[in-house]
Amino acid sequence: MAVLSVEGLTTNYKTLRGWVRAAEDISFEVEQGEAMGLAGESGCGKSTVALSLLKILPPGGKIRKGKILLSGQDLVPLSEKEMRKIRWKGISIVFQGAMNALNPVFKVGDQIAEAIKTHEPKVADSEVRERVAKLLETVGIEPSRANNYPHEFSGGMRQRALIAMALAADPSVVVADEPGTALDVIVQAQILRLLRDLKDRLGLSMILISHDLSIIAETCEKVAIMYAGRIVEYGDAVTIFKDPKHPYTQGLIKAFPSIKGEKVRLTSIPGSPPDLLNPPAGCRFNPRCPFVMDVCKRVEPILEEHGDKGHTVSCHLYH
Amino acid sequence: MDSKISTIDQNDTSSELPPQMGADEVLRVENLRKWYPLRRGFVETLFSKNEMNVKAVDLVSFSLKRGEIFALAGESGSGKTTLGKVLLRLVDPTSGSIFFHGKDITKLTQRELKPLRREMQIIFQDPFESLNPRMIIKEIVAEPLRVQKVAKSEAEVEERVKQVLTEVEIVPPEEFLYRFPHELSGGQRQRVAVARAFILNPSFVVADEPVSMLDVSIRAEVVNLMIDMVKKHSASIIFISHDLALAKHIADRVAVMYLGKVMELSTSEKVVDGPLHPYTQALIAAVPVPDPESKRTKDVISGEIPSPVDPPSGCRFRTRCPYAHERCSTEEPPLIEAEKDHFVACHLYT
Ligand SMILES: Nc1ncnc2c1ncn2[C@@H]1O[C@H](COP(=O)(O)OP(=O)(O)OP(=O)(O)O)[C@@H](O)[C@H]1O
Ligand SMILES: Nc1ncnc2c1ncn2[C@@H]1O[C@H](COP(=O)(O)OP(=O)(O)OP(=O)(O)O)[C@@H](O)[C@H]1O
Ligand SMILES: [Mg+2]
Ligand SMILES: [Mg+2]
């Protein structure tokens, strides 16, 4: 059984101008020890999915439909009190924005200690200190640096500290939202390697969120491509990068300049992503799609298997 | 600022003469430096004779050919933005010289620079910040015309604005003239910034990370537009980007900077496909590849970029370099032509 199985998750934000349809009918599964990449451009709903999994949506954000099954248990109906037992231990998150996600007025070690104590209030202080030291070591920070404040850390170290915090309660699923994105490419590569090592070493299940397809390609076994609040293509990473089916996935892959291969003129997808307050009818990608047909403007396509087993695509071209 | 120059050791400049490029050059800089003095407490100043400086740009020399797309790459804090601003004299250099179309502009006053300003333009990273939110598109694009007083009539202003908006595919221009920046998409805003930069037909443009804030799916169209405008106007452009993959595809030549210095400089193919400097090699190895079957366990060098206030002695990269040897800590490697048209600052090649 999958460690995490999301079925038809729909999360919207209530605003004065109406519902922002940020995540609609999202389904995916993450197996034990597997990394799934959630890819898509800014504003397509990636963080909304992440925050929904932990039920820590900002005011206005509401899960309107669907199930989030963690080892078979549905989290959607759980109360806030019950969710507190799940957070950090069942599912933990490395928040987007490494530079600001730590509290500037507390020592880094104390912030990690807090994450441990929230879950295990009875653990002795000396043991907490030991575990903090061990966690820091695990993520490649000299344990003596526990006494530093966040501003005394470089960007890469702050990102590592956030990963240590996410590991504090020994979770079964870790969600990493844009890890390393604001960091330099060398430091980013160090962070991604750390995440892969941790996954292999601790048998973690991971959801890696990124707007950068290359990062997902290098880190994940499985990929879900999101566009305007919906998953448009889902499956095994090798299949999707080798043989993308959805016109959006095809366009996105081509828009990424690769450092390997011939010098080419880059291509883009004409137009820009829609306003999620009022997304286009039918397929949300239809105004930008080079293969648009009549049906695309009327009927919303559903994710269906196409070609290889487990490779699903939501596009009228195939169904 | 001038008083600072005397405190700088000029002895080591002789080795870094610029690569000779011939007459068709738009810009040439020689031994350019920008040091920002570090503000310190009164007591510290009393007891320490040494000036503390952020060596943002340190002895950089190169030249730019007519029509050339020249990329400046390197990690955050390596001095790319500072160099771009110094080239345009938006920031005064600490020492060194800047020649623009053969004329030494290093010491010109802002007033003397004004007529040259129509020849040089800048495009910033963030189209949300760089366009005045209270101005309509027509006025934003017309601003350089008005500052330089080149249009004879209001009708001519409008005509030229419409023409350049059409060039950047903000069409039909009439529909956009009276809109505000927030009524445009990110890509459209950056097109407007490009229109403003090109309205005076400049010969030299600095674009500072012009697409890094844009969605991936629309980056290419803005990049391609900039390349087309550069070619069409026979301008030269310095394209600042930390993204070497992007630099490879668009630039004629690439300079890789580290802690204020150019470490490697050559054609984009040579730098990216056959990097000589261990730093460039490390950068390229770290760039993720959109192919899940590529080698996942690649070598990543450790550590992060040191402080530019007190950079490592000798070669600045030595603290992270897998090939560092004794000489690297005592002697600063000069930028030399290791292969034809391929310049590198590394003791492995000297
Ligand atoms: N609190 C909120 N209230 C209303 N709308 C919101 C709120 N938070 C996010 N949204 C909207 O929901 C959509 C999805 O946002 P989300 O942050 O999930 O995107 P994302 O894919 O994580 O983007 P990014 O790559 O920029 O982090 C966007 O259109 C956004 O404007
Ligand atoms: N006005 C200033 N005063 C003092 N130091 C400065 C100033 N501007 C830049 N610096 C310093 O100079 C160094 C080079 O900065 P610069 O912004 O040129 O780098 P960059 O390569 O453009 O980096 P990024 O990729 O982050 O934009 C940095 O250490 C920076 O902190
Ligand atoms: Mg996000
Ligand atoms: Mg910069």
Side-chain angles (χ1 to χ4, degrees), chain B residues 253-297:
Chain B
R253 283 192 300 157
V254 178
V256 178
M257 290 184 73
Y258 187 75
L259 282 176
K261 285 211 161 277
V262 172
M263 305 304 251
E264 182 156 4
L265 193 170
S266 190
T267 61
S268 56
E269 285 94 343
K270 281 187 179 157
V271 169
V272 176
D273 297 337
L276 295 178
H277 201 290
Y279 175 58
T280 318
Q281 291 167 358
L283 265 184
I284 288 166
V287 174
V289 184
D291 172 10
E293 287 178 311
S294 75
K295 194 165 130 249
R296 288 180 181 211
T297 46

Side-chain angles (χ1 to χ4, degrees), chain A residues 150-168:
Chain A
H151 74 89
E152 295 170 291
F153 273 20
S154 67
M157 287 168 74
R158 274 182 250 182
Q159 183 73 75
R160 285 171 194 270
L162 283 171
I163 294 170
M165 249 166 105
L167 297 175

